[in-house]
Amino acid sequence: MKLLVMMQVQAENYTPSGNEIMISITEPNRKREVELRDGFLAVHRAYFNDIDRQYGDYLPMQVHDANGILAFATEWLPKAEQCIVHCAAGISRSPAVAIALAEIFDICEPWILIERYPCFNRHVYRMLLTQAQNGTSNDDANREMGLPEGVDWG
C-alpha cells in the first residue's frame, strides 16, 4: 500500500489505473465539486476548512468527517494498491489525513510524511487518531474542540 498526497489540481488531472482509492477534501462552501476522473476503486469526499476551530461559517474537521474517513479507509485500504489524499494545496489537510492513516493502519513510518509535510494540520491529525482510538461521541469530541454540543455540523 502506498500513500500519495496531492494538491487539487494534481488530483483533477490524475488518471487512475483502477487500483487506487481517493480521499477528496474540499471546503464546505465550495461552488463546484472537484472533478475527478473515472477509474478509482472508490472515492470519499470530505468537506471541512483548513482551521482548528470554528470561525464564523468556517468549520474545522468534525467527528463525522473523521469517522467517515476512517470507515472509508477501513473498507477500502485492504482492496487498493494506493491511497491518494488531496486538498486544495496539498500541504495541510491532506498530509494530516495521510500521516494519521499511516499511523493508524501501519502503512508506513509516519515520520517520513511528517518530515516531508511539516505544516500538516494538527487538528485533523489529532481528530483522526482520537476517533480511531476511542470512537468518542459527536458531543464529546465537539466539547474537546470547544465547539457547541448537540449540533450536527454535516
Side-chain angles (χ1 to χ4, degrees), residues 3 17 23 25 28-29 31 33 49 51 56 59 65-66 78 88 91 98-101 112-114 116 130 142 151:
L3 283 170
S17 67
I23 298 172
I25 304 167
N29 52 356
K31 299 269 188 256
E33 283 287 332
N49 295 102
I51 54 179
L59 299 173
D65 299 312
I91 59 173
I99 293 164
L101 294 179
I112 296 168
L113 293 167
I114 292 169
R116 186 166 185 179
T130 298
N142 286 347
V151 176

Side-chain angles (χ1 to χ4, degrees), residues 135-153:
T136 58
S137 72
N138 286 341
D139 282 344
D140 289 342
N142 286 347
R143 193 169 24 273
E144 277 182 34
M145 298 300 160
L147 299 166
E149 296 177 37
V151 176
D152 177 11
W153 296 99

